[in-house]
Amino acid sequence: MKKLLSYIYPVTKKTASSHNGMLEISWINGKKILDSENANYSYGSLQRVLEKGIKLTSLTNVNTILLLGLGGGSVIKSLREKFNYKKHIHAIEIDNDVITIAKNEFNIDNSELLTIENTDAFTFIEKNTTQYDLVIVDLFIDTEVPPKFYSKTFCKNLSKALNNNAFLLFNLGIDIDKSIQVDEVFSFFNDSLKFKDTQVVKINKINSLLVANKK
Ligand SMILES: C[S@@+](CC[C@H](N)C(=O)[O-])C[C@H]1O[C@@H](n2cnc3c(N)ncnc32)[C@H](O)[C@@H]1O
């Protein structure tokens, strides 16, 4: 019924979260999406941004994926349904209320092929000893990427978490032209002899995605 009504006018439900303020779950034109106060988090424009990024990688030899920033899990739906990726995904999310939304509203839940861990991505990657074939970094609080994710420490730990030939897809932020922090992240991977084909791709005019391939 909500889906049907949403073709006439958007149907919105608001819910408080521990780290992301008020979140909105809306039905718009028959599609359910998750928004923060000022940004789309999942199943809207953000999902399309990550899909364009995935098309710039190759999933042929990808056996394990690490996702930093679960949100409503739209990139997981894309990987499963659009890109036919059937192997394991390890997803990290700081906000337990978001994990509940992913489960109850979008059917994204722990399974044999999906491990969801409720922890800070910065601490997780610091302690991590596993290497992945694709790491997707999609960490926002509303419209901002928390500054610690632009640090050299985080980049070094990301680099360690990638297998040889692995891909990195890093959503660097919204409207970040001329950002020194973003330039530093780009330089870290571009200057590193361990990486090739590092590029920052502008998607939908406002989202910048870093794509890099470990040698
Ligand atoms: C844009 S949403 C992610 C959308 C998701 N990738 C998808 O495909 O639907 C950003 C998420 O990053 C999470 N986040 C922000 N800071 C974090 C941190 N320090 N550790 C883990 N998750 C964090 C937020 O709670 C939010 O759920």
Side-chain angles (χ1 to χ4, degrees), residues 80-167:
R80 299 289 191 225
E81 291 170 11
K82 203 162 184 167
F83 297 97
N84 208 28
Y85 176 76
K86 302 290 179 211
K87 295 174 189 163
H88 193 263
I89 300 174
H90 190 171
I92 306 299
E93 172 56 56
I94 199 168
D95 192 330
N96 205 31
D97 297 309
V98 168
I99 294 177
T100 304
I101 290 172
K103 180 178 171 189
N104 294 343
E105 301 286 344
F106 300 103
N107 292 322
I108 298 288
D109 201 357
N110 280 296
S111 68
E112 207 182 314
L113 291 177
L114 175 62
T115 305
I116 298 172
E117 206 173 317
N118 181 203
T119 188
D120 179 352
F122 191 86
T123 317
F124 168 84
I125 204 88
E126 214 163 31
K127 294 184 183 157
N128 170 60
T129 52
T130 306
Q131 288 187 308
Y132 299 84
D133 298 322
L134 169 62
V135 176
I136 301 173
V137 184
D138 192 25
L139 296 158
F140 283 83
I141 296 294
D142 198 25
T143 57
E144 303 291 325
V145 175
K148 62 186 175 185
F149 295 117
Y150 294 123
S151 68
K152 215 172 217 166
T153 307
F154 182 68
C155 291
K156 272 188 196 159
N157 289 329
L158 266 184
S159 170
K160 282 190 214 148
L162 290 157
N163 272 320
N164 291 345
N165 300 316
F167 287 95

Side-chain angles (χ1 to χ4, degrees), residues 19-20 34 40-43 46-47 50 67-76 92-95 98 119-122 136 138-142 146 148-149 171:
H19 288 76
N20 291 280
L34 175 65
N40 172 248
Y41 262 14
S42 302
Y43 301 96
L46 193 271
Q47 185 177 19
L50 293 179
L67 169 64
L68 302 179
L70 171 73
S74 55
V75 73
I76 296 177
I92 306 299
E93 172 56 56
I94 199 168
D95 192 330
V98 168
T119 188
D120 179 352
F122 191 86
I136 301 173
D138 192 25
L139 296 158
F140 283 83
I141 296 294
D142 198 25
K148 62 186 175 185
F149 295 117
N171 193 349

Side-chain angles (χ1 to χ4, degrees), residues 191-209:
D191 298 349
S192 165
L193 296 176
K194 293 184 186 141
F195 286 85
K196 60 179 178 183
D197 303 332
T198 303
Q199 51 175 326
V200 174
V201 188
K202 201 81 186 244
I203 297 179
N204 296 348
K205 295 200 180 117
I206 58 162
N207 283 276
S208 294
L209 270 186

